[in-house]
Amino acid sequence: MTYEEALRYFAHIEMMGSHLGLERMAELLRRLGNPQASLRFVHVAGTNGKGSTAALLDSCLRQAGYRVGLYTSPHLVRYNERFQLQGEPISDEALTAATERVKAAADTMEDAPTQFELLTCVAFCCFQTAGCDIVVLEVGLGGRLDATNVISAPEAAVITRIGLEHTEILGDTIEQIAAEKCGIIKPGGTVVLGDPNPAVEQVAEEICRKRGAVLVRARPARPISRSLEGQRFAWGPYPEVCLSLLGEHQLQNAATALTVLEILRDKGWNIPDGAILEGMRTAVWPGRFECVSTRPAIIIDGGHNQQCAQAIAASLETYFPGKKCRFLMGVLADKDFHGIFDALLPLAERIAAVTPDSHRALPAEELCRRLREEYGYPAAAPYGSLAEGLTALRRDAGPEDVICICGSLYMIGEARSLFGRV
């Protein structure tokens, strides 16, 4: 198998759809010799913030000298980004070898595994082969029936902020969705809760009580200062922590990660203060309120639901008080794009609409029509590509203006490439 053949294999499987459940995953792993059984994990679930929290944990654990695997989704440009080893995407050769191994086992099954199940098995095989000391494992969708939930009790389970998303699958209330996310809680395990919502807390408490798990609530961070270069905050024993990630919501993610690191220390992991501080300072999570240019300021954010859009709006108001923004926006038709509009339109000077590279995309022309008819917003125009939309927004922008590219993760890889960030 070549790398190109591996990519075609995943593309073919994606067309067959996805089905939640753990039976296929458990069977496929059994045929692979259960590679996950030799690994230790931090398991991260949530609607928003799970990727940033995972990236912060990965950075701090690497600074402590551990060999760390990081599994996240989706990728922005290349599949390899989903499987990070020591802070770098795995090689084409490693991805190809693991895919060949997984495909050989999957081809013997009557009930064909889904794409995400196959990718998760590829991750386990890659990290086993690499001899990882610990793997930071991000849930794909939900938690209870997600393919990643086949692992035994992790070093810590993490629940980040919960919002309304995938309601047709996970439920249409915060409590129902929280119950699905908290499905990663194992009997006797340790759980870090990074969402202060009392409704979420009540669900987590009840599940932990039933399963004999210990629930630890993340202590809040205390902000000190912020700029487009980063932010500083105080937390627990640390009077000053420098954080590379921007946005007030990242302080909650950092506090959650710091709480997890305290638990790992209590369990015997050697994580010095210096490693934690350096890991926080140097952590990178692309496409999340990422400033890619100044004068005018250009921000890229992959936020794609109402809670994310509210965080974007709050960050824009914090970093650029009193300013209207120019938005380069594309959304998926099956996402809560009305929630995105509700949060961002009050800040919008004008909108350049594009169609994300996905069969689920809402066409740019349809986006503009809905803005006109449903919101009475006339200052939106469709463009054939991200580059065209960005050129239009920059054409008459002054040095103090602000451009924000957002609405879907499916645009972020291309958007970053326009600024040489790949």
Side-chain angles (χ1 to χ4, degrees):
M1 175 179 281
T2 65
Y3 179 72
E4 290 72 23
E5 288 171 337
L7 297 185
R8 286 197 294 271
Y9 173 62
F10 290 129
H12 170 70
I13 297 295
E14 183 180 25
M15 295 170 58
M16 300 171 66
S18 63
H19 311 280
L20 291 176
L22 301 180
E23 294 81 7
R24 287 182 307 275
M25 186 69 181
E27 176 60 21
L28 178 54
L29 286 170
R30 185 189 67 78
R31 296 179 186 219
L32 289 166
N34 286 311
Q36 81 287 357
S38 62
L39 297 167
R40 300 166 81 179
F41 296 94
V42 174
H43 201 188
V44 187
T47 306
N48 296 311
K50 59 185 177 182
S52 298
T53 302
L56 289 165
L57 288 167
D58 167 66
S59 181
C60 293
L61 289 166
R62 284 189 285 108
Q63 290 292 335
Y66 290 107
R67 189 164 179 79
V68 186
L70 173 64
Y71 179 56
T72 60
S73 60
H75 57 276
L76 298 182
V77 180
R78 306 182 79 228
Y79 270 101
N80 307 52
E81 299 166 25
R82 296 174 180 241
F83 322 92
Q84 304 253 341
L85 179 63
Q86 293 301 86
E88 296 291 339
I90 62 170
S91 67
D92 292 356
E93 293 76 16
L95 177 57
T96 302
T99 301
E100 190 168 26
R101 176 182 170 189
V102 170
K103 181 180 183 300
D107 284 349
T108 66
M109 295 174 59
E110 290 186 12
D111 189 4
T114 68
Q115 186 199 59
F116 189 72
E117 289 166 349
L118 294 166
L119 290 168
T120 303
C121 286
V122 167
F124 292 152
C125 290
C126 284
F127 296 144
Q128 179 195 46
T129 299
C132 288
D133 299 310
I134 191 166
V135 173
V136 183
L137 185 70
E138 182 193 51
V139 167
L141 191 157
R144 181 175 64 92
L145 297 176
D146 186 75
T148 62
N149 204 29
V150 293
I151 65 171
S152 302
E155 300 295 293
V158 188
I159 310 296
T160 64
R161 295 184 306 282
I162 304 297
L164 293 175
E165 189 176 36
H166 300 296
T167 53
E168 73 285 357
I169 299 172
L170 303 178
D172 56 9
T173 69
I174 290 294
E175 290 82 1
Q176 288 173 326
I177 293 175
E180 289 295 320
K181 306 287 185 182
C182 289
I184 69 168
I185 296 172
K186 301 293 194 299
T190 304
V191 184
V192 173
L193 180 62
D195 190 332
N197 186 334
V200 175
E201 186 173 7
Q202 185 175 354
V203 171
E205 285 177 344
E206 178 64 15
I207 292 177
C208 284
R209 185 187 63 78
K210 289 180 178 178
R211 299 181 185 175
V214 176
L215 180 64
V216 181
R217 296 158 186 82
R219 288 180 286 174
R222 302 182 299 279
I224 297 173
S225 67
R226 61 172 63 90
S227 72
L228 289 176
E229 283 71 51
Q231 51 189 329
R232 297 184 303 133
F233 66 93
W235 184 88
Y238 305 113
E240 182 176 308
V241 182
C242 295
L243 182 65
S244 57
L245 308 182
L246 303 182
E248 187 174 353
H249 57 288
Q250 294 293 4
L251 296 183
Q252 180 64 46
N253 297 329
T256 302
L258 287 166
T259 305
V260 174
L261 293 166
E262 276 195 339
I263 287 170
L264 293 179
R265 279 174 153 179
D266 290 342
K267 292 191 172 187
W269 293 83
N270 181 23
I271 311 171
D273 287 345
I276 290 175
L277 295 175
E278 185 64 9
M280 288 280 157
R281 186 186 70 81
T282 58
V284 176
W285 191 230
R288 278 72 174 183
F289 210 81
E290 181 181 11
C291 182
V292 295
S293 183
T294 58
R295 303 184 65 80
I298 301 179
I299 304 294
I300 295 178
D301 195 294
H304 52 277
N305 58 38
Q306 184 173 21
Q307 194 176 43
C308 288
Q310 289 168 343
I312 294 170
S315 295
L316 288 170
E317 290 176 320
T318 296
Y319 288 94
F320 310 102
K323 288 191 176 182
K324 291 282 190 176
C325 302
R326 301 169 177 219
F327 287 96
L328 179 54
M329 185 182 295
V331 298
L332 299 188
D334 59 358
K335 294 291 185 180
D336 178 21
F337 52 83
H338 289 104
I340 296 174
F341 297 159
D342 291 341
L344 298 180
L345 277 184
L347 297 178
E349 174 190 335
R350 56 188 283 204
I351 294 174
V354 294
T355 305
D357 183 18
S358 169
H359 66 276
R360 296 153 50 203
L362 184 73
E365 294 80 4
E366 177 72 3
L367 190 158
C368 293
R369 183 187 68 78
R370 293 203 173 204
L371 287 173
R372 285 193 308 271
E373 296 180 0
E374 298 175 19
Y375 290 86
Y377 185 85
Y383 291 89
S385 69
L386 272 171
E388 290 177 15
L390 181 60
T391 298
L393 292 183
R394 296 179 84 171
R395 187 173 294 124
D396 59 348
E400 302 304 317
D401 284 331
V402 180
I403 297 172
C404 182
I405 305 172
C406 64
S408 173
L409 270 173
Y410 284 88
M411 323 185 323
I412 298 308
E414 182 183 352
R416 296 185 80 247
S417 71
L418 294 176
F419 296 92
R421 303 197 177 199
V422 292

